[in-house]
C-alpha cells in the first residue's frame, strides 16, 4: 500500500488481472520493501525470472537471445543498464567501487559484487537462497554489500551481476518513477540499513 488510495489499488489489481489472469498478487496490510522482495524471490519456480517494476520504460526489445547467453560462469543476475546504475568505462559487471591506498581513484572490486531490485533477470536458485537469507526489515539491495547481513553477503560474494547494455543507447531502460517521486516531494532515506520514503513537504 504505497502511492495511491483504495480506488487506485483496485484499478491496479484490475489491470493486472486483465493482462495476467493467473497472477498471484500479494496484498500485505503493511508496506515493506524487504518483505516484498523476499516474498517475490522465494516464490520463483522457473529457472529464471524477470524482476520488474511498473515505473520503467524499455527503449528497445529485450529478447531471450540478448539475455540468456550472459548467464555464464558465476553470473546469477543480468541487470538492464540505466543511468542510475554505476558503470565506469567498459565494465561488464556491477561491483562496489572502492578507493585503495595506492590510488586516489575509485576502482571496481570484483570481490564485492552488487545485486539489485532494479529491472533484470535473476537465476531462481540464487533468488530463493537470497530470499531465505534476506532480513525483511532491511533494504534488500543494501544487505548484499554494506555489512548488515554477513551471511547473505558471504553467500553472494562469489557470484556476479552482469549488465545488459543497449544496442542503440547503452542505457536500455529509464526510470520514470523518479519524476513521479520528485513531483510529490518524496525522498528515499536509508538509515542503519532501513529504507523509508518521506514527504519533504510535510
Amino acid at each position: 500500500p504505497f502511492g495511491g488510495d483504495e480506488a487506485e489499488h483496485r484499478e491496479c489489481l484490475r489491470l493486472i488481472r486483465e493482462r495476467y489472469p493467473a497472477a498471484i498478487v500479494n496484498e500485505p496490510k503493511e508496506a515493506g520493501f524487504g518483505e516484498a522482495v523476499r516474498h517475490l524471490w522465494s516464490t520463483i519456480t522457473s529457472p529464471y525470472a524477470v524482476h520488474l517494476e511498473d515505473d520503467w520504460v524499455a527503449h528497445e526489445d529485450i529478447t531471450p537471445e540478448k539475455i540468456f547467453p550472459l548467464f555464464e560462469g558465476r553470473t546469477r543476475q543480468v541487470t538492464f543498464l540505466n543511468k542510475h546504475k554505476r558503470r565506469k568505462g567498459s565494465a561488464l559487471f556491477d561491483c562496489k567501487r572502492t578507493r585503495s591506498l595506492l590510488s586516489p581513484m575509485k576502482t571496481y572490486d570484483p570481490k564485492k559484487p552488487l545485486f539489485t531490485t532494479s529491472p533484470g533477470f535473476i537465476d531462481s536458485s540464487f533468488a530463493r537462497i537470497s530470499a531465505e537469507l534476506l532480513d525483511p526489515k532491511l533494504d534488500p539491495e543494501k544487505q548484499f554489500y554494506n555489512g548488515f547481513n554477513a551471511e547473505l553477503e558471504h553467500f553472494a560474494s562469489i557470484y556476479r551481476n552482469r549488465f545488459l547494455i543497449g544496442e542503440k543507447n547503452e542505457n536500455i531502460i529509464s526510470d520514470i518513477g523518479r519524476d513521479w517521486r520528485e513531483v510529490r516531494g518524496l525522498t528515499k532515506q536509508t538509515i542503519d540499513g532501513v529504507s523509508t520514503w518521506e514527504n519533504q513537504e510535510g
Side-chain angles (χ1 to χ4, degrees):
F2 178 84
D5 58 22
E6 184 55 34
E8 290 173 312
H9 178 122
R10 290 194 301 270
E11 175 64 7
C12 183
L13 185 59
R14 185 192 68 77
L15 290 168
I16 292 170
R17 294 288 188 213
E18 182 180 280
R19 289 159 176 78
Y20 306 100
I24 298 171
V25 181
N26 184 33
E27 299 178 89
K29 292 182 179 179
E30 294 184 13
F33 184 26
E35 175 57 28
V37 173
R38 188 205 64 76
H39 171 81
L40 286 172
W41 287 8
S42 68
T43 60
I44 298 171
T45 57
S46 59
Y48 300 95
V50 59
H51 184 112
L52 285 177
E53 299 171 11
D54 62 347
D55 55 358
W56 292 82
V57 174
H59 302 301
E60 61 187 74
D61 289 343
I62 297 170
T63 64
E65 293 77 17
K66 293 178 181 178
I67 293 292
F68 295 117
L70 302 182
F71 278 101
E72 60 180 3
R74 293 181 288 162
T75 298
R76 295 295 181 271
Q77 189 172 44
V78 174
T79 299
F80 306 157
L81 191 63
N82 63 86
K83 70 178 183 179
H84 302 293
K85 295 301 297 178
R86 295 174 294 178
R87 179 175 185 252
K88 187 79 170 177
S90 59
L92 296 178
F93 299 93
D94 199 4
C95 301
K96 190 172 183 180
R97 293 174 64 199
T98 57
R99 184 178 286 113
S100 72
L101 296 175
L102 303 176
S103 172
M105 302 293 291
K106 284 188 174 183
T107 58
Y108 283 96
D109 185 351
K111 295 180 181 178
K112 294 186 179 294
L114 299 182
F115 296 92
T116 182
T117 58
S118 294
F121 279 77
I122 191 166
D123 173 271
S124 64
S125 297
F126 177 84
R128 287 194 300 270
I129 295 172
S130 296
E132 290 178 11
L133 299 175
L134 277 172
D135 183 337
K137 297 184 296 294
L138 303 179
D139 185 302
E141 291 184 342
K142 306 286 188 294
Q143 295 180 59
F144 281 101
Y145 65 88
N146 69 0
F148 285 107
N149 189 331
E151 193 173 2
L152 176 61
E153 196 169 331
H154 176 73
F155 161 71
S157 65
I158 64 170
Y159 299 114
R160 297 290 178 264
N161 176 11
R162 177 83 179 254
F163 290 124
L164 176 66
I165 301 165
E167 295 174 354
K168 301 172 185 174
N169 181 306
E170 71 168 25
N171 293 323
I172 197 167
I173 58 171
S174 293
D175 181 358
I176 61 172
R178 290 173 186 260
D179 294 336
W180 180 91
R181 205 166 74 184
E182 288 176 8
V183 167
R184 288 157 180 78
L186 293 169
T187 60
K188 182 178 180 180
Q189 307 287 335
T190 304
I191 301 173
D192 294 332
V194 178
S195 291
T196 57
W197 286 260
E198 299 176 357
N199 190 330
Q200 298 304 299
E201 297 176 354

